[in-house]
Amino acid sequence: MAEKRDYYEVLGVDKNADDETLKRAYRQLAKKYHPDVNPGDKEAEAKFKEAGEAYAVLSDPDKRRQYDQFGHAAFDPGSGGAYGGFDFNGMDFGDLFGDLFGGIFGGGRGSSGRNNGPQRGANLHATVRITFMEAVTGVEKEIEVILKDECTTCKGTGAKPGTKPEKCTKCGGKGQVMYAQRTMFGTMQSVQTCPDCHGSGKIIKEKCPACAGTGYTSSKKKIVVSIPAGIDNGQSIRIREKGEPGVNGGPRGDLLVEVVVSSHPIFQRQDQNIYSTVPMSYAVAALGGEVLIDTVDGRIAYTVKPGTPTDTRIRLKGKGLPSTRYKDVRGDHYVTLVIQTPDKLSHEAKELLKQFDALTGDSLNAAKRAENVASEEGSKKKFWK
C-alpha cells in the first residue's frame, strides 16, 4: 500500500497556515480535481479524495493537534493513536463550495437552481490591424462583424406567431436539473444545464420560421473603432453592448477588438519607448558633425561630439509613443550610433587614408612591427646563450 503523503504537502501550505489559508488551498484543489470536472479520471478522483482527507484533519483543531504530534499514526487503529481511525462521510462541505461551484454541492445546505431572470449576453471578439505610425497617432478603423438582433417576427420569443413557449417539464422551468452522487463525503448533488431546454426553462414546440426558433436574426454590420494613440500590439478595445444579445431581457455583451500593430522597418518598440539604429561615418565619429535621424515626428539633425565611439546610445526625450492613460506623457526615442565602414574607396581615397593612418599610429603596419620586435628579441636570447 502506498505511503500517505504529508497533509500539509497535499494542500501545498505551510505548517503554520491559518484556517483561511487551508480553506483557500482546499477550494483550489477540489475545484481542479472534482469528479464532475474530470469524469472517469481515476487519478483526479484519487487526488480529490486525498485533498478532502487532508482538509478534514487540518481544519479540525483537535485532529490537527494530534496529527502534528503523531502524524498519520494518530488515526491508524492499529497504532494506538488518539482517535484510532475515523471516516469523513459525516462531514458537510456544502458551505465551502456553495459559492464556488454555484450549487455543485447541494448537500444539506439547500442550494438553489440558477436564476432565470435577465442575463447579460456573451462578449464578441474581433481583430483589427493597424500600422506602426497609426499606433503612434491614433486612428479610426471600420470593421465588419456579424451581430444578432431580436427577431422582428416573433419579438425574440422564438415561437411561431400566435403561439407561446411552454415551460420545460424536465426542469420545471428552472433551466437546470440536479443529479445525486455518492462520494466519500456522503451524497452530493451536482447541478447541470437541462438537456431538453438548454437552460432556457422553456420549450418551443412551434418554431418561428424567420429565426428557426432562436429568437434572433444575424446580419453583417459595420462598426467604427476609435483606436487611441499609443496602443500596443495585442491590446484590446472594449465597445460596450455590441456583443451577443442578453437573455430574458438582459443587456447585450461587449465587443472586444484586439489590435494587431504591424512591425516597422526602422523602429522597434518597448512599452512607450522607441529604439532605432543610425549609421555615422568615421569622419563624423572622429571629428564630430551632424547625422540625420528619422523619428515618428519627422527627420531631425543631431550633432555628434568628436571622438564618439561606435554603439553609442543617445536619448531623444519625449520622442517616443504617447501614453494611452496620460494624454500629455510620451516615451523616449533611444538611438544607437554605429560607425559605418565604407566598402568601396577610390584609389585617391585609399592613399589619403593610408596617410592618415601613418599620422595616427600606423595601425596598418602594427603587426609587422610586432613581428620584427619578437624576431630581434629572439636573436638577442640566442646570442647570449
Side-chain angles (χ1 to χ4, degrees):
M1 184 175 180
E3 184 179 350
K4 283 189 176 183
R5 288 201 298 156
D6 178 78
Y7 285 151
Y8 292 100
E9 179 186 343
V10 170
L11 297 182
V13 298
D14 185 80
K15 289 192 175 182
N16 297 318
D18 57 20
D19 292 342
E20 187 58 35
T21 301
L22 289 171
K23 181 180 288 188
R24 184 166 54 248
Y26 181 44
R27 281 172 182 244
Q28 293 174 351
L29 291 172
K31 182 178 180 181
K32 181 177 180 181
Y33 295 117
H34 191 272
D36 286 350
V37 181
N38 306 275
D41 189 334
K42 296 299 182 182
E43 183 179 353
E45 183 180 352
K47 290 183 177 179
F48 178 73
K49 292 180 180 179
E50 182 184 45
E53 180 179 328
Y55 181 72
V57 171
L58 299 183
S59 63
D60 184 299
D62 199 16
K63 293 185 178 73
R64 181 175 182 177
R65 186 166 51 252
Q66 291 292 326
Y67 177 75
D68 288 342
Q69 184 175 359
F70 301 107
H72 292 295
F75 313 109
D76 185 352
S79 64
Y83 287 93
F86 67 94
D87 63 51
F88 307 97
N89 289 330
M91 300 191 66
D92 183 4
F93 290 86
D95 60 336
L96 185 63
F97 295 104
D99 60 330
L100 184 65
F101 291 99
I104 195 170
F105 290 91
R109 298 288 177 174
S111 73
S112 59
R114 187 190 64 179
N115 181 10
N116 279 330
Q119 297 177 42
R120 186 175 178 274
N123 293 333
L124 287 177
H125 297 265
T127 303
V128 62
R129 180 176 290 275
I130 63 174
T131 66
F132 186 94
M133 291 306 299
E134 287 174 335
V136 175
T137 60
V139 67
E140 286 191 347
K141 290 286 185 177
E142 188 177 72
I143 63 173
E144 193 173 66
V145 295
I146 297 177
L147 292 182
K148 291 180 181 178
D149 290 303
E150 185 180 277
C151 176
T152 56
T153 303
C154 65
K155 307 300 180 185
T157 65
K160 182 180 178 181
T163 66
K164 292 182 179 180
E166 299 178 6
K167 181 189 290 187
C168 177
T169 56
K170 187 174 184 66
C171 64
K174 294 180 179 180
Q176 294 177 324
V177 288
M178 190 173 292
Y179 296 94
Q181 176 181 335
R182 291 191 61 82
T183 71
M184 63 175 288
F185 301 121
T187 301
M188 292 185 177
Q189 297 172 340
S190 61
V191 180
Q192 299 179 12
T193 301
C194 177
D196 289 6
C197 66
H198 306 290
S200 68
K202 300 175 183 178
I203 296 292
I204 301 173
K205 291 190 174 181
E206 295 187 63
K207 297 180 179 180
C208 171
C211 64
T214 63
Y216 304 102
T217 55
S218 300
S219 61
K220 289 184 179 180
K221 291 188 177 180
K222 294 182 178 180
I223 296 177
V224 176
V225 184
S226 295
I227 302 173
I231 196 164
D232 206 349
N233 182 58
Q235 291 184 328
S236 294
I237 297 169
R238 182 183 296 271
I239 303 177
R240 301 289 180 183
E241 298 193 356
K242 290 296 182 181
E244 294 283 355
V247 179
N248 295 330
R252 298 185 75 105
D254 298 333
L255 173 62
L256 303 178
V257 183
E258 182 184 359
V259 178
V260 178
V261 182
S262 299
S263 60
H264 193 276
I266 298 175
F267 306 129
Q268 290 81 45
R269 173 180 181 170
Q270 184 175 336
D271 299 326
Q272 304 307 124
N273 297 325
I274 294 175
Y275 296 82
S276 67
T277 301
V278 171
M280 63 177 175
S281 67
Y282 181 77
V284 169
L287 305 176
E290 288 188 339
V291 292
L292 295 177
I293 299 176
D294 287 315
T295 74
V296 294
D297 297 322
R299 181 170 290 182
I300 64 171
Y302 179 83
T303 301
V304 177
K305 295 179 180 179
T308 296
T310 191
D311 290 333
T312 295
R313 176 176 285 183
I314 62 174
R315 175 191 179 196
L316 303 179
K317 187 175 175 60
K319 291 292 184 182
L321 285 100
S323 169
T324 55
R325 300 180 64 183
Y326 306 103
K327 183 172 57 176
D328 299 326
V329 176
R330 287 185 65 174
D332 301 324
H333 185 167
Y334 293 91
V335 181
T336 301
L337 301 174
V338 179
I339 294 177
Q340 189 175 39
T341 304
D343 55 358
K344 293 181 180 180
L345 292 173
S346 66
H347 176 73
E348 183 181 5
K350 289 180 181 179
E351 292 301 318
L352 290 173
L353 190 56
K354 289 178 182 178
Q355 294 178 33
F356 169 80
D357 182 67
L359 294 172
T360 55
D362 195 20
S363 62
L364 293 174
N365 296 309
K368 290 183 179 180
R369 290 201 305 273
E371 289 178 359
N372 292 335
V373 170
S375 178
E376 290 177 2
E377 290 180 351
S379 298
K380 288 179 181 180
K381 290 179 180 179
K382 187 175 181 180
F383 176 78
W384 287 108
K385 280 186 176 180

